[in-house]
Amino acid sequence: MLEDRSCFVSRDYHRERSWACMSFRLDANGKRPAEDDQEDGRVRKFPKQSDTRGRVDTSLTLGGNSSASEADQAGCDYEADDGMQMTVAQGGGDQHSDGVNSETGAQGGDMVADQAGDQHCDGVNSDTSCLIPGIGRDNSISCLIRCSRSAYGMAASVNRSFRSLIRSGELYKLRRMNGIIEHWVYFSCNMLEWEAFDPNLRRWMRLPTMNSNECFVFSDNESLAVGTELLVFGKEYMAQVIYRYSLLTNSWSTGMQMNEPRCLFGSACQGEIAIVAGGCDLQGKILSSAELYNSETGEWKLLPSLNKARKMCSGVFMDGKFYVIGGIGGPETKLLTSGEEYNLETETWTEIPNMCLPRTGETRENALPTTSEAPPLIAVVNDQFYAADYAEMVVRKYDKDNRVWFTIGRLPERANSMNGWGLAFRACGDKLIVIGGPRASGPGFIEVNSRVSSEGPPEWHLLGRKQSGSFVYNCAVMGC
């Protein structure tokens, strides 16, 4: 979340809403009033802002963009369910640098927050010491990490210090250290187009379009969110490729490679690290290798191999350990019902029998090819292991002590899928979420449903609904 960010707020947006960490509020005319500051025996006035920046009831421009269309070009389009539309470009303006002042990140030079903000720090123009005047840098940061990260676009427009702090990623490290994490859902209904959903504010965000070729579009794709990055794995011509979306710069890049490139693997993240296990290589060979990715360093590290090679498997973290579940493997490429547990401290794998959800129901009786069904739909919430049985449309929970599955309730009624494909079942913080929607001959819908309580049968609450002409191809949850 950086430069080139715009925020369009419609007229029905409440005039009294303000950012809790800032020591000013816009007046009824949408301008920031002059305020007295008696510190050090001096009286200082806040500089007058231009009318186009200060008018909250029509538009609030962050980073210098003054229209929703310009914000769309920046790549992130928020839409609120309550009728309020908010367009926020949460990322670096590097890829939109035409006509942009690289010093301030403003188009046309209309950004004055840098100069104004820097002058409020005891009369010293300092990018390292000036954040919120009067309370000191440490208190400023403590205040900022407790704000919703959806407000960081506004924070980055205050001065260069804020923008540098956000863009460096240090703010997200501090949030993680203090246990302050927000989970957003990232999903794709078109291989090159990704959107995010903020379940707290119930807003949708459109990411920049990936710049790839048709080979990538029609290849097997996997996705993984780790740290402040979204990784999308696929194939271009005769080489496998990883596209990396950075939350800090709001842009896609390529170039990173695993030690052993693969697709159709199981994966999961924990903080700034992620583990991928199994899968298959370009020649279709099923792999038993595994790798650990550190988003802080951008490096891949080979881990000890699995006990069994497997592809089309799923992965989760639970009780501080990584688990890879189910998949296809063995000399006859049969369905696997076992799972494997990886202990990060001892760096060893332990096979666990019957850890995959039992395959019972109509789709299994029809003897479909093993590759026709989706990998296991599993999620871990508060170290409790759940699975979605798309054939029976129920949710099951795993008894870790007795190593058996039992049914706890129904999936959302409109969570349709095709043998599990097109349906996402994920953990989003301390809640289970289901992403999918009804398919029809005309335009369909993508719905985000959240489990209301962790106790008793699942009761589902609709968080968001969006028209879509396709189903969910890939889905990942980013917590930072």
Side-chain angles (χ1 to χ4, degrees), residues 87-138:
T87 305
V88 182
Q90 301 181 60
D94 294 348
Q95 61 180 353
H96 310 292
S97 57
D98 294 341
V100 178
N101 185 327
S102 61
E103 180 71 13
T104 64
Q107 281 189 330
D110 63 348
M111 175 71 157
V112 297
D114 281 338
Q115 293 86 349
D118 290 342
Q119 291 173 3
H120 299 330
C121 193
D122 296 332
V124 179
N125 185 358
S126 170
D127 280 342
T128 60
S129 62
C130 177
L131 287 173
I132 300 176
I135 68 173
R137 181 179 177 84
D138 290 344

Side-chain angles (χ1 to χ4, degrees), residues 22 65 92 103 157 197 199 201 235 321 339 364 379 392 417 472:
M22 299 305 294
N65 297 325
E103 180 71 13
S157 73
F197 179 73
L201 298 180
K235 183 175 71 174
K321 299 175 182 178
R364 282 71 165 180
E392 301 292 332
S417 71
V472 178

